[in-house]
Amino acid sequence: SELLRRGNDLVKSGIHPTTIISGYRSALKAAVSYIKKEMVVHVSELGDEHLINAAKTSMSSKIIGTESDFFSKLAVDAVKSVKMNATAADVAGYDAMGSSGSGSNNNTLPAPTTAGKKQRFKYPLSAIHILKAHGKSSMESNLIDGGFAINAMRAAQGMPTFVESSDGQPVKIAMLDMNLQRHRMGMGVQVIVKDPAEIENIKKREMDITKERIRKIIDAGARVVLTTKGVDDLCMKYFVEAGIICARRCNREDLKRLAKATGGRVVTTMADMEGNETFDADCLGGCDSVREVRIGDGEMLYVYGCKGHGASTIVLRGANE
């Protein structure tokens, strides 16, 4: 309002409004330049206390109340745990944003490197997985740094409760978006048999197809199998005999995050270009160990030491939502 009043006085003095606006724009550029040069503090120079204070301000509410210190530190630690090097495409995008005047590159943190250039980092929030578990106090919420927790449990009690890496080989995880159930012929398929014994052969072949699929997954090196769909008793029998942890009806989005964290891929079909069924070992993710942990009234699978781009999980506890 003061600038408008001063501008109105200049107009009354006979100065053209265009000249006044040009002067204001020049003053704006000079002010911004002074702020950037003298007053701006780079993100790399900020300590954790500044980040915690910013998180505390953004999360301030009646619900958190006196526990704001705990949850603000939890949020800062979770974001710092997914730190990774920015790719060339990311750096180009940040530079384009900066040159267009949209602000500084707040998504990156530069640091000097041996080549004299600045190494930038990014903190993908999508790599932070949040799980809610009823029970206990909210102060017992915890961060699984470098790990991933998925809201699933073993499909059968005969399966092991944990698997660990051995001989320097990581634990391989197969993530499937397909049914692991007894193969059945599709609707509309008509088979005419003259000998009743052939019916038993058809049923046996259906079981053999299912067994072959499971065997291909096991032979690829999978020690943990997670699927978004069902697993019947026939398939569970093979997994139990092989000492493999299998979980069914997992959330699809959780599996996508886990695949990114472990460096694997979600498999939707085993069919290849030749019409055969194969399982590519490159689709398997890697980690140090997988353990079933009881949380509240149910169980969860904890994946530790993810070998992919990094991930972390925040397990929130509380009496209600």
Side-chain angles (χ1 to χ4, degrees), residues 112-118:
T113 60
T114 57
K117 297 181 181 180
K118 290 182 177 180

Side-chain angles (χ1 to χ4, degrees), residues 157-179:
Q157 293 298 318
M159 297 176 180
T161 57
F162 70 94
V163 291
E164 296 178 338
S165 58
S166 59
D167 299 331
Q169 297 297 324
V171 177
K172 296 294 186 179
I173 305 175
M175 291 148 286
L176 311 176
D177 187 13
M178 51 187 275
N179 268 316

Side-chain angles (χ1 to χ4, degrees), residues 131-313:
L131 274 180
K132 299 178 182 179
H134 289 174
K136 294 191 176 182
S137 168
S138 59
M139 295 295 288
E140 296 190 43
S141 302
N142 64 296
L143 169 68
I144 308 174
D145 190 0
F148 196 92
I150 186 168
N151 192 10
M153 58 182 293
R154 294 171 299 154
Q157 293 298 318
M159 297 176 180
T161 57
F162 70 94
V163 291
E164 296 178 338
S165 58
S166 59
D167 299 331
Q169 297 297 324
V171 177
K172 296 294 186 179
I173 305 175
M175 291 148 286
L176 311 176
D177 187 13
M178 51 187 275
N179 268 316
L180 290 178
Q181 296 176 334
R182 179 177 174 178
H183 178 78
R184 300 183 185 278
M185 287 185 292
M187 297 293 293
V189 177
Q190 184 178 11
V191 179
I192 300 176
V193 295
K194 297 181 179 179
D195 187 357
E198 293 297 326
I199 298 178
E200 293 299 325
N201 293 334
I202 293 175
K203 293 181 179 180
K204 184 176 182 302
R205 181 54 189 159
E206 289 178 347
M207 296 174 61
D208 290 342
I209 291 175
T210 303
K211 184 177 180 180
E212 290 170 2
R213 288 179 177 175
I214 302 300
R215 179 52 56 187
K216 288 173 182 177
I217 297 174
I218 297 174
D219 291 342
R223 299 180 62 189
V224 179
V225 178
L226 306 175
T227 179
T228 60
K229 298 183 180 178
V231 180
D232 62 8
D233 294 338
L234 177 64
C235 295
M236 283 191 285
K237 171 180 175 292
Y238 300 130
F239 287 132
V240 170
E241 292 175 350
I244 291 176
I245 295 178
C246 178
R248 54 188 171 185
R249 297 185 179 88
C250 302
N251 185 277
R252 183 179 285 105
E253 294 301 321
D254 291 349
L255 282 192
K256 289 181 179 179
R257 287 196 183 99
L258 180 60
K260 188 175 182 180
T262 57
R265 295 196 300 270
V266 178
V267 178
T268 57
T269 179
M270 295 178 63
D272 57 14
M273 298 297 293
E274 286 76 24
N276 301 319
E277 287 191 341
T278 58
F279 191 86
D280 190 1
D282 293 336
C283 297
L284 298 175
C287 67
D288 290 337
S289 64
V290 177
R291 185 180 299 270
E292 185 183 68
V293 180
R294 184 168 186 82
I295 302 294
D297 296 332
E299 287 81 16
M300 292 184 183
L301 288 178
Y302 277 33
V303 181
Y304 299 99
C306 297
K307 302 298 184 182
H309 298 295
S312 62
T313 302

